[in-house]
């Protein structure tokens, strides 16, 4: 009987110790989970701040870009600095090309900050490229885009090139139905 009591006491101690260890482990896991949740929330706040800062930087860059292009549109001598086209252009064409650049760049920035989806970008580009002047600009700046690789700008440039081929090959006057935006992750 004494052996049985001792055995029961050891069993109770073992069970109690096991429960204590298990309880401690659960408590440690709960504390660790709470710490991980807090760290995850902090990381999400930091990512939001970084995204917001990136968008702010892009907006500032877009304003600066527009200011520079506006000066070139208003001053033919400044516009000559931007004359990097494959074909000779007169002053009027140069101003039109600068404006076409501003239109396209505006869409590009809107896409980059998430105001346009890939599909929406495609549809807007399909609209602005109905202008023969915008198409001329695009073809006159082909070599400039060729130097841009492995960026969203390069990818979108290829999308526009493909769209223009589809528009030129289309047997319909209904340009708004030509082409499908490629799948985008």
């Amino acid at each position: 009987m004494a052996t049985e009591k001792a055995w029961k006491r050891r069993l109770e101690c073992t069970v109690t110790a096991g429960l204590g260890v298990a309880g401690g482990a659960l408590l440690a896991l709960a504390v660790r989970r709470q710490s991980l949740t807090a760290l995850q929330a902090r990381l999400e706040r930091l990512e939001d701040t970084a995204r917001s800062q990136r968008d702010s930087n892009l907006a500032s860059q877009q304003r600066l870009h527009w200011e520079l292009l506006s000066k070139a549109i208003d001053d033919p001598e400044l516009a000559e600095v931007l004359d990097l086209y494959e074909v000779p252009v007169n002053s009027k064409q140069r101003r039109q090309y600068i404006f076409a650049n501003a239109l396209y760049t505006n869409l590009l920035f809107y896409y980059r900050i998430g105001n346009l989806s890939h599909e929406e970008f495609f549809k807007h580009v399909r609209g602005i490229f109905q202008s023969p002047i915008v198409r001329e600009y695009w073809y006159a700046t082909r070599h400039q885009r060729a130097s841009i690789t492995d960026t969203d700008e390069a990818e979108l440039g290829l999308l526009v090139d493909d769209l223009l081929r589809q528009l030129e090959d289309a047997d319909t006057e209904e340009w708004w139905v030509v082409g499908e935006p490629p799948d985008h992750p």
Side-chain angles (χ1 to χ4, degrees):
M1 188 168 280
T3 307
E4 190 176 313
K5 281 185 180 180
W7 182 80
K8 281 184 181 179
R9 200 173 309 137
R10 272 188 255 150
L11 181 62
E12 287 173 359
C13 287
T14 302
V15 168
T16 303
L19 288 174
V21 168
L26 286 175
L27 181 61
L29 283 173
V31 168
R32 186 173 188 161
R33 182 180 172 108
Q34 185 178 16
S35 295
L36 287 174
T37 301
L39 284 172
Q40 184 177 10
R42 183 168 183 225
L43 180 60
E44 287 172 5
R45 284 191 306 274
L46 288 171
E47 287 172 347
D48 288 344
T49 300
R51 250 188 313 279
S52 177
Q53 183 62 48
R54 179 183 170 269
D55 290 351
S56 177
N57 291 345
L58 280 170
S60 294
Q61 179 61 39
Q62 184 178 13
R63 275 190 298 279
L64 178 60
H65 183 257
W66 175 246
E67 288 173 20
L68 291 170
L69 292 180
S70 293
K71 288 180 181 191
I73 289 171
D74 294 339
D75 185 340
E77 290 178 5
L78 293 178
E80 288 179 22
V81 173
L82 296 176
D83 194 344
L84 304 172
Y85 309 111
E86 290 183 15
V87 295
V89 296
N90 61 40
S91 180
K92 178 183 174 184
Q93 288 173 308
R94 189 177 301 115
R95 290 177 72 216
Q96 291 171 331
Y97 286 7
I98 291 169
F99 189 74
N101 174 269
L103 285 175
Y104 178 75
T105 303
N106 186 57
L107 286 178
L108 182 63
F109 280 128
Y110 260 51
Y111 173 79
R112 283 181 172 162
I113 63 173
N115 285 353
L116 289 177
S117 68
H118 196 69
E119 183 176 344
E120 291 167 325
F121 175 86
F122 179 85
K123 289 177 180 178
H124 283 282
V125 164
R126 184 170 49 195
I128 68 169
F129 277 85
Q130 291 311 300
S131 165
I133 295 168
V134 175
R135 287 184 189 200
E136 287 173 18
Y137 154 77
W138 192 256
Y139 294 131
T141 57
R142 182 175 292 145
H143 69 282
Q144 292 174 25
R145 284 187 309 284
S147 65
I148 302 170
T149 58
D150 299 327
T151 65
D152 60 343
E153 187 173 355
E155 175 189 333
L156 295 172
L158 293 173
L159 178 143
V160 172
D161 289 340
D162 187 51
L163 172 62
L164 287 176
R165 278 190 294 278
Q166 292 177 46
L167 286 167
E168 290 167 0
D169 294 343
D171 290 336
T172 180
E173 295 294 319
E174 298 173 341
W175 58 265
W176 55 91
V177 297
V178 174
E180 286 293 321
D183 292 333
H184 190 264

